Amino acid sequence: MSELRGWKLVCAGVALSSMLLAGCATVDESASQDTSGSSGGGEVAQRINGAGSSFVAPFMDSVAGQLAQEEGIEVNYQSIGSSGGREQFIQKTVAFGASDEPMSDEEMQEAGGNPLHIAAVGGAVVPVYNLEGVESGLNFTGEVLADIYLGNITRWNDPAIAELNPDAQLPDAKIAVVHRSDGSGTTNIWTSYLAAVSPKWESGPGAGGEIKWPTGIGGDGNEGVAGLVKQTPNSIGYVGLEYAVQNDLTYGNVGEQGAFVEPSVESARAAIAAVGDEIPEDLRFTVSSANPQGEGVYPITGLTWVLVRQQMDDLAQCKAVARTAWYLTHEGQELAPDLNYVPLPENIVSRDEELIRSMEAEGQKCYTE
């Protein structure tokens, strides 16, 4: 990187299975259209900037390292939360955004260029807790989780929790509720499920990435929530499965009485498969909002999208974004299970391919095989 002026140091703090990526990414906030190393004649840009979902950050960081080695494209990704990623994408301060909450129609109109939702990976959002003496996974129904986050259930030995966990030694301790403080796609997946199973939640806080929380304290990003739960006795929070595993947090099972499902790559994959027919052509669908059911189906599951424009201004930039999206949805899928993400099913990959192939700039196609 020859130019350092205007670059911002951004720390992701993400631990991967093979190494600790607690480092930082530098992001050029003064020039989102970075075509360094490319000519104006349609060569592929060597660097692109992206921002958004903290849920997907470990996957993005891992794929970016492999992409740089194999394709020579450097992806600088900021883990700033899905809302921030959508906003930077709309403002064109990054080449692509990443979000676990689909763009609204209004956001898509503001962004211009016919925004596309390229599904990058799937994953589970899990209830994590810090409860001394309770190391095995507790069972939760959606209604119990909703009542905890509504402030209706305030102690760990409440009969509603105890009934679901007759063998657990639940303390008579106040529940410290932890939620996201920033606009969050992880929150969208979590609250979409709560709204689907709890009329009180649906008519109260509702579903979405930014809501008015009835109770609790906020953490910034999946990283922040995981850190707060880890350091706060008697706490409960929600994070992507990958963060629970990497931070050695205890996480619970979710379902109905007698049919609780442990979150895993397999049970989250089953959830995506269970709602396959409901996913529209533009892929803008929150899986958890359908409360997917079935044996071995973990319901609090969602997709992360890479947000790109079907019509871009700069061909070199567009080629780099298209190649990155293709790599994420193909070679990158091999990395997903080891990082506790769900590889995309074939029907979604096929739709991704159609969307990526439709990308254009300067009158030319951006992805060519």
Side-chain angles (χ1 to χ4, degrees), residues 32-82:
S32 66
Q33 302 299 317
D34 184 357
T35 57
S36 300
S38 69
S39 70
E43 297 296 327
V44 180
Q46 293 181 350
R47 290 198 300 270
I48 58 173
N49 301 325
S53 164
S54 66
F55 177 85
V56 82
F59 177 70
M60 292 292 294
D61 286 343
S62 187
V63 173
Q66 191 166 291
L67 177 66
Q69 290 182 345
E70 297 184 6
E71 299 280 340
I73 299 172
E74 178 187 341
V75 176
N76 297 305
Y77 182 76
Q78 301 178 64
S79 173
I80 62 171
S82 292

Side-chain angles (χ1 to χ4, degrees), residues 59-60 62-73 118-121 320-339 341-344 349 352-353 356-357 367-369:
F59 177 70
M60 292 292 294
S62 187
V63 173
Q66 191 166 291
L67 177 66
Q69 290 182 345
E70 297 184 6
E71 299 280 340
I73 299 172
I118 309 296
V121 77
V321 172
R323 285 196 183 185
T324 298
W326 191 275
Y327 196 92
L328 281 165
T329 56
H330 290 78
E331 291 89 341
Q333 297 300 297
E334 298 175 3
L335 303 177
D338 286 344
L339 297 171
Y341 293 94
V342 178
L344 299 169
V349 173
D352 279 341
E353 291 176 350
I356 295 168
R357 287 192 176 105
Y367 182 79
T368 55
E369 298 182 63

Side-chain angles (χ1 to χ4, degrees), residues 115-130:
L116 306 176
H117 287 60
I118 309 296
V121 77
V125 176
V126 304
V128 291
Y129 54 89
N130 179 352

Side-chain angles (χ1 to χ4, degrees), residues 61-296:
D61 286 343
S62 187
V63 173
Q66 191 166 291
L67 177 66
Q69 290 182 345
E70 297 184 6
E71 299 280 340
I73 299 172
E74 178 187 341
V75 176
N76 297 305
Y77 182 76
Q78 301 178 64
S79 173
I80 62 171
S82 292
S83 292
R86 295 196 306 279
E87 179 61 26
Q88 287 203 17
F89 176 69
I90 290 168
Q91 297 300 324
K92 296 187 177 181
T93 57
V94 291
F96 70 90
S99 180
D100 328 303
E101 178 178 7
M103 297 180 75
S104 67
D105 291 343
E106 181 180 355
E107 286 176 326
M108 293 183 68
Q109 185 174 1
E110 290 177 6
N114 188 23
L116 306 176
H117 287 60
I118 309 296
V121 77
V125 176
V126 304
V128 291
Y129 54 89
N130 179 352
L131 205 55
E132 186 176 357
V134 181
E135 297 181 358
S136 59
L138 292 175
N139 296 323
F140 298 98
T141 63
E143 289 193 354
V144 164
L145 288 172
D147 277 335
I148 291 172
Y149 273 80
L150 286 167
N152 297 333
I153 295 176
T154 60
R155 306 196 74 79
W156 277 107
N157 64 345
D158 186 284
I161 303 176
E163 182 182 356
L164 304 178
N165 301 278
D167 298 327
Q169 298 299 312
L170 298 169
D172 182 13
K174 185 174 181 177
I175 301 173
V177 175
V178 182
H179 54 72
R180 287 285 288 271
S181 59
D182 56 331
S184 159
T186 306
T187 295
N188 174 61
I189 296 170
W190 180 259
T191 59
S192 292
Y193 170 71
L194 297 185
V197 298
S198 168
K200 288 180 288 185
W201 189 274
E202 183 181 25
S203 62
E210 296 182 78
I211 66 168
K212 184 175 180 181
W213 293 101
T215 188
I217 57 174
D220 190 15
N222 273 266
E223 306 93 334
V225 171
L228 277 174
V229 171
K230 196 161 190 174
Q231 70 188 28
T232 307
N234 304 314
S235 60
I236 187 171
Y238 60 91
V239 296
L241 175 61
E242 64 280 3
Y243 285 88
V245 172
Q246 293 299 335
N247 287 278
D248 198 26
L249 294 171
T250 305
Y251 51 91
N253 312 310
V254 177
E256 301 302 324
Q257 183 76 2
F260 298 103
V261 180
E262 180 181 356
S264 67
V265 171
E266 292 73 21
S267 59
R269 181 188 288 119
I272 296 172
V275 300
D277 293 340
E278 299 181 51
I279 298 177
E281 283 292 300
D282 64 5
L283 303 180
R284 295 162 63 198
F285 181 76
T286 300
V287 174
S288 61
S289 67
N291 184 21
Q293 296 292 305
E295 184 177 355

